[in-house]
Amino acid sequence: MNTSQAWIKAYVPDLNVSPQEYTDAMTLTGTKVEGYQCLDKNLEKIVVGEILSIAPHPDADKLIICQVNIGSETIQIVTGAPNVKEGDKVPVVLDGGKVAGGHDGGPLPEEGIKIKKGKLRGIESNGMMCSIEELGSSREMYPDAPESGIYILPKDSVPGEDAIRLLGLRDAVYEYEITSNRVDCYSVLGIAREAAATFRLPFYPPEITQTGNQEDIHDYLNVRVEDHDLCPRYCARMVKNIHLAPSPEWMKRRLAACGIRPINNIVDITNYIMEEYGQPMHAFDYDCLAGHEIIVKRAKDGDQFQTLDGQIRNLDHDVLMINDGEKEIGIAGIMGGENSKITDEVKTMVFESACFDGTNIRLSAKRVGLRTDASGKYEKGLDPNTAEEAVNRACQLIEELGAGEVVGGIIDIYPVKREERRIPFSSGKVNRLLGTDIGEAQMKEYFKALDLGFDEDKQEVIVPTWRQDLERPADIAEEVARFYGYDKIPTTLPTGEATTGKLSFKLRVEEVARRVAQSFGFSQGMTYSFESPKVFDKLLLGEDSPLRQAITIMNPLGEDFSIMRTSPLNGMLSSLATNYNRRNKDVRLYELANIYRPKTLPLTELPDERMQFTLGMYGEGDFFTMKGVVEEFFDQVGMKEKIHYNPDGDYPFLHPGRKAEIIYHKKTVGYMGELHPDCGDAYKIGEKVYVAVLDMPSILPFVSFGRKYAGIAKHPAVTRDISMVVPKSVLVGQIEDVIAQRGGKLLESYQLFDIYEGSQIVAGFKSVAYSIVFRAKDRTLTDEDVNAVMKKILNGLQGLGIELRA
């Protein structure tokens, strides 16, 4: 949103501040000014000059010598401009003055160009006559400027007066960042109202006078709205005996400052109203309306329509259209049609000023592939109560500019009027919310400056319909805060009971995972949640694997990012492969990230998002190194009971003889192992890779950060070492289960300290040795106590086919 300071001053005439002061103050009160451009930057000592006489240059065919009256004196200027003649009034920069740039229209120099008197081919020249480009502007703002040559000022210009002020360049253009909830500020009137409130100045909106002849528009035109949910209000007025002409200079300047190219009085008036009121308008050629009627209704599926830009647009039943008695003539709120546009031959026209559903306009603009200034305003949700005022203002300008004869009356279809909102007000509550001590009278002054009403009897703020952002008491408090001054609000401590700030239970567990991984030399990685379907084949997953049931992304970046990951391994292995290919040795990575498991396909509800703690490494370390990391994590989060490992889990991407399903309390909580060689080849990793994946939602129920103090043992421990011959099919975990179950209360700990397979052991067997520690809390153990427990343990081991070594 852009506005010129001159346009704002039309409604706030007492606004006399510098552009920087305006920028700072408006930003502090919530209307953020992104920046500004002074149109008279680097324009100094430029006055109106009248060319009294022209003579040829004696030594240059393309130069002429002009005698120019600048009011106080007559000076001589040599120029090569081809378009000047005696009697012309032109802008003249005097000796020592500045212009903004050159005549070529290129980038303007930061410091401008200083003009000094001198000689051109031996003839003295005491200044320079200026083109519009040299004044820092362009033919977009001044369409009457010649393509090449000096800008000619109006004939009634007075020699010696300020040419920059005459051209309307003593002005600044501001660029605003308007939030979508402040739709009222997408208009010059809205900005001006904010400026008046900010600087505590009177605000004077346009005074709209009654317009129209003695005729009645209903005798000429019939309007019918079939879809009131998409068009809550539709206003129409008529103008006949159209007289197309250029707009006055003040209107051209204001439109050009907003980035709108002036065209003619009719088009310029519709654009002017859109900027002034934030209310888009459209004009139809009355003679092109079949049946002299307008019907507002939805399009039909498969319809096509040619818009003003000459493009064919595909429509469907969700697009609202403006129709006449036979055909579609415009896409509501977006653009009119080629079949009813205003041409130079127009005699009678219809002004449309309507309010359309903002959401529908936004979606329709996307459907038809066309977004305009009008749709950009409509989609934010306009106030229907502005429509009538805007069309009446347009008709007022028609009469003031002599652009036509306004037909009396108005067609206004407005079945459900939007009423003002009332919000309860309490100055005490506002002060408690803000931490201030602002008087109630001062708050009411802010409301008055913002055109907010106040009901003294009910103590309610009356919010006009154009302030759609004010809905609750907190919004009223914000209005008070921004005009009182955020910088004036004192620092106060929050009220209420103090609470201890800390991480949630889930985040504490994740923090322990990071700490354990980093303590073992793992670095954190982050990978995409989007993957390629080709990942399933690289991970050797079977066609019936549930991991292949992935969520497909509707608008993917490409095939390689077309599904949501169901396993964290691809990201981890891809990162390890990248490090391996860059010749990094002994790489250890970990990641805490979600996987996405759909409950049904196609999706009918949100998927199951599960946090996975993933570890991956190659180089130094092996299966047991990874096992140690996993067990250290379990220990750190208080999972003290025995962990079981099942070597028969279905994980095709792991080595069949070096994998394990991790089981805690009879529940699978993860898996670990060496990567399958074929999978390693698919990722082009030339070393053994070890991975572990822990499912955090499965682990959380078993986590405890409670710690109990245990005193130092008062009685000595008794240690027994046993060496066994064990069938190779028996796992160490099975042996430890027997020791733990039969050791009873006297068992303190056990430790595997030797495994041996060789010629001294019978084929199919292995030698396993354990150190077992016993201790009683209340007495010193005797041999009889320990022997009894050992006998139970040995009996249990014999059931597994285990024998003691001699």
Side-chain angles (χ1 to χ4, degrees):
M1 175 70 189
N2 292 353
T3 69
S4 70
Q5 186 163 331
W7 200 346
I8 296 169
K9 289 188 69 172
Y11 315 120
V12 191
D14 298 330
L15 181 65
N16 294 305
V17 294
S18 70
Q20 190 60 54
E21 290 172 333
Y22 178 90
T23 296
D24 294 341
M26 291 291 283
T27 300
L28 284 174
T29 55
T31 307
K32 184 179 180 183
V33 181
E34 285 286 333
Y36 63 88
Q37 176 190 2
C38 293
L39 300 184
D40 59 353
K41 180 182 179 182
N42 295 326
L43 300 180
E44 300 176 7
K45 298 180 69 174
I46 302 176
V47 299
V48 175
E50 180 182 6
I51 301 177
L52 301 178
S53 64
I54 299 176
H57 194 290
D59 297 322
D61 294 338
K62 295 184 178 181
L63 297 179
I64 55 176
I65 304 171
C66 301
Q67 302 300 320
V68 182
N69 173 20
I70 59 170
S72 58
E73 61 178 316
T74 298
I75 62 174
Q76 179 173 283
I77 298 176
V78 179
T79 182
N83 67 314
V84 295
K85 61 184 183 299
E86 292 182 359
D88 282 345
K89 308 287 180 62
V90 296
V92 175
V93 55
L94 304 178
D95 177 36
K98 275 187 178 181
V99 292
H103 65 277
D104 58 356
L108 302 180
E110 185 65 28
E111 300 298 328
I113 300 174
K114 193 163 188 176
I115 303 301
K116 297 181 179 180
K117 66 180 180 179
K119 292 184 177 181
L120 288 177
R121 292 290 186 92
I123 301 298
E124 185 174 301
S125 183
N126 295 306
M128 184 181 79
M129 294 181 281
C130 304
S131 66
I132 202 65
E133 289 79 14
E134 288 164 333
L135 298 178
S137 192
S138 66
R139 297 185 69 245
E140 289 292 316
M141 283 190 68
Y142 295 85
D144 56 330
E147 289 189 21
S148 169
I150 304 302
Y151 184 78
I152 307 301
L153 296 171
K155 293 185 179 297
D156 57 355
S157 303
V158 178
E161 72 173 320
D162 184 352
I164 301 307
R165 187 175 302 281
L166 179 66
L167 287 167
L169 293 175
R170 296 287 183 210
D171 199 359
V173 176
Y174 301 98
E175 179 184 357
Y176 305 88
E177 179 186 327
I178 307 298
T179 53
S180 57
N181 66 324
R182 288 302 306 272
V183 65
D184 58 300
C185 286
Y186 283 91
S187 67
V188 178
L189 282 174
I191 296 292
R193 186 181 288 108
E194 288 289 312
T198 296
F199 293 99
R200 311 293 193 270
L201 297 173
F203 171 64
Y204 301 98
E207 293 184 7
I208 301 176
T209 56
Q210 185 175 356
T211 56
N213 56 24
Q214 300 302 312
E215 297 177 290
D216 187 352
I217 186 176
H218 293 86
D219 297 333
Y220 287 87
L221 182 68
N222 178 52
V223 177
R224 186 170 80 251
V225 177
E226 295 187 1
D227 293 279
H228 290 288
D229 58 326
L230 301 184
C231 179
R233 188 176 195 182
Y234 192 97
C235 297
R237 294 202 66 177
M238 277 186 59
V239 180
K240 64 181 187 179
N241 301 324
I242 300 294
H243 173 63
L244 293 179
S247 299
E249 292 300 317
W250 61 267
M251 181 175 285
K252 289 181 182 179
R253 301 290 177 266
R254 292 179 181 180
L255 290 175
C258 294
I260 299 175
R261 182 172 62 88
I263 297 176
N264 59 49
N265 49 6
I266 299 299
V267 175
D268 292 352
I269 285 173
T270 60
N271 288 331
Y272 188 87
I273 297 301
M274 181 171 69
E275 295 302 314
E276 185 177 45
Y277 280 86
Q279 171 66 53
M281 295 186 62
H282 189 70
F284 297 105
D285 189 331
Y286 174 76
D287 295 323
C288 295
L289 301 180
H292 291 164
E293 65 177 339
I294 290 176
I295 305 169
V296 183
K297 63 181 181 179
R298 296 173 185 263
K300 297 177 182 178
D301 289 332
D303 282 357
Q304 291 188 325
F305 180 70
Q306 186 176 18
T307 46
L308 280 171
D309 57 2
Q311 299 294 313
I312 301 297
R313 310 289 174 177
N314 297 317
L315 311 175
D316 61 34
H317 72 283
D318 287 324
V319 178
L320 189 67
M321 299 296 293
I322 310 299
N323 305 262
D324 61 15
E326 298 176 354
K327 61 187 181 297
E328 295 159 329
I329 57 174
I331 305 177
I334 300 176
M335 184 177 280
E338 183 74 19
N339 54 12
S340 62
K341 68 179 182 180
I342 300 296
T343 65
D344 292 345
E345 287 74 37
V346 63
K347 301 298 181 185
T348 306
M349 70 176 185
V350 176
F351 266 142
E352 168 194 274
S353 178
C355 181
F356 302 112
D357 179 72
T359 301
N360 178 262
I361 294 298
R362 179 176 60 84
L363 295 175
S364 296
K366 293 185 68 174
R367 284 191 187 93
V368 303
L370 177 62
R371 195 171 188 274
T372 60
D373 289 340
S375 68
K377 293 183 183 296
Y378 274 122
E379 67 187 26
K380 293 174 177 63
L382 298 185
D383 174 21
N385 291 331
T386 304
E388 180 182 5
E389 186 176 354
V391 75
N392 288 338
R393 170 69 166 156
C395 291
Q396 178 186 22
L397 291 173
I398 288 286
E399 291 190 351
E400 289 180 359
L401 302 186
E405 180 184 354
V406 178
V407 175
I410 181 174
I411 295 177
D412 185 5
I413 300 176
Y414 194 13
V416 181
K417 184 179 180 181
R418 181 177 294 180
E419 301 293 342
E420 296 173 329
R421 186 182 295 112
R422 287 174 171 261
I423 300 176
F425 170 76
S426 167
S427 60
K429 288 184 178 180
V430 171
N431 279 321
R432 284 194 295 274
L433 183 62
L434 299 179
T436 55
D437 186 20
I438 306 172
E440 182 175 318
Q442 187 175 354
M443 294 184 188
K444 291 178 181 177
E445 285 298 318
Y446 299 150
F447 301 154
K448 182 178 180 182
L450 290 166
D451 282 352
L452 304 180
F454 193 82
D455 188 328
E456 293 286 355
D457 295 333
K458 296 182 178 180
Q459 287 294 293
E460 292 177 333
V461 176
I462 304 172
V463 181
T465 54
W466 40 263
R467 281 303 300 271
Q468 300 178 37
D469 59 308
L470 301 182
E471 298 179 342
R472 54 186 66 86
D475 297 328
I476 298 300
E478 182 182 9
E479 296 301 291
V480 173
R482 67 193 186 97
F483 287 102
Y484 175 71
Y486 292 116
D487 54 326
K488 297 178 183 176
I489 297 178
T491 301
T492 56
L493 292 173
T495 59
E497 296 182 2
T499 58
T500 303
K502 64 179 180 179
L503 293 176
S504 66
F505 182 77
K506 174 178 176 293
L507 293 180
R508 288 176 67 193
V509 176
E510 292 174 12
E511 186 60 32
V512 171
R514 292 187 184 91
R515 186 173 66 245
V516 169
Q518 290 166 6
S519 70
F520 280 89
F522 287 78
S523 299
Q524 186 170 12
M526 296 181 68
T527 60
Y528 283 114
S529 297
F530 305 153
E531 291 186 336
S532 167
K534 299 175 183 177
V535 166
F536 302 138
D537 294 331
K538 294 176 72 175
L539 293 176
L540 312 179
L541 297 177
E543 292 298 327
D544 59 346
S545 172
L547 294 181
R548 286 184 177 266
Q549 304 302 309
I551 301 166
T552 302
I553 300 170
M554 293 179 63
N555 55 340
L557 300 174
E559 185 182 2
D560 289 343
F561 303 95
S562 60
I563 62 171
M564 302 296 290
R565 64 181 171 195
T566 57
S567 167
L569 282 182
N570 175 66
M572 175 59 67
L573 295 176
S574 297
S575 298
L576 291 174
T578 299
N579 280 275
Y580 178 79
N581 292 326
R582 292 179 180 174
R583 304 182 184 279
N584 293 329
K585 298 180 179 181
D586 303 325
V587 174
R588 297 185 177 191
L589 298 175
Y590 79 93
E591 181 178 19
L592 281 161
N594 284 341
I595 61 170
Y596 304 85
R597 301 276 180 82
K599 298 171 185 176
T600 58
L601 285 177
L603 284 179
T604 56
E605 57 183 316
L606 292 175
D608 184 14
E609 297 186 28
R610 305 188 69 83
M611 174 68 72
Q612 306 273 285
F613 178 26
T614 308
L615 299 151
M617 69 179 191
Y618 67 79
E620 185 179 353
D622 55 17
F623 179 92
F624 297 102
T625 305
M626 185 65 79
K627 180 171 177 283
V629 179
V630 172
E631 293 183 350
E632 178 64 19
F633 168 67
F634 284 171
D635 182 69
Q636 290 288 324
V637 293
M639 297 168 66
K640 300 296 186 181
E641 297 188 22
K642 183 172 174 57
I643 304 167
H644 291 84
Y645 297 92
N646 174 22
D648 300 322
D650 183 19
Y651 301 101
F653 39 80
L654 296 180
H655 193 294
R658 300 165 192 167
K659 65 180 179 179
E661 198 168 51
I662 305 171
I663 300 172
Y664 190 85
H665 260 291
K666 299 181 180 180
K667 183 175 181 179
T668 300
V669 296
Y671 58 87
M672 58 174 290
E674 181 184 322
L675 191 67
H676 195 291
D678 291 345
C679 190
D681 291 343
Y683 283 93
K684 298 181 180 179
I685 306 176
E687 291 197 33
K688 292 182 179 181
V689 176
Y690 299 93
V691 296
V693 177
L694 300 179
D695 185 58
M696 300 299 274
S698 300
I699 289 172
L700 287 177
F702 306 115
V703 172
S704 172
F705 289 109
R707 296 289 187 269
K708 292 184 178 180
Y709 170 75
I712 299 174
K714 297 179 180 179
H715 303 280
V718 177
T719 302
R720 294 289 175 87
D721 293 344
I722 58 173
S723 180
M724 301 166 285
V725 178
V726 181
K728 286 187 176 181
S729 60
V730 176
L731 302 176
V732 167
Q734 294 174 274
I735 298 173
E736 294 179 351
D737 286 343
V738 172
I739 296 173
Q741 291 169 5
R742 294 180 174 250
K745 296 181 179 180
L746 299 182
L747 178 66
E748 182 175 85
S749 65
Y750 51 85
Q751 180 70 42
L752 173 69
F753 67 85
D754 183 55
I755 296 179
Y756 173 74
E757 295 181 34
S759 58
Q760 298 179 13
I761 304 298
V762 179
F765 288 81
K766 57 188 175 183
S767 173
V768 178
Y770 270 89
S771 179
I772 306 175
V773 180
F774 301 95
R775 191 194 304 267
K777 296 181 179 179
D778 57 348
R779 60 191 171 91
T780 300
L781 294 177
T782 64
D783 286 343
E784 288 78 10
D785 294 329
V786 176
N787 290 338
V789 178
M790 284 299 299
K791 185 176 180 180
K792 291 181 181 180
I793 293 173
L794 294 175
N795 288 338
L797 294 174
Q798 286 176 359
L800 298 176
I802 297 173
E803 297 178 1
L804 289 178
R805 289 188 66 183

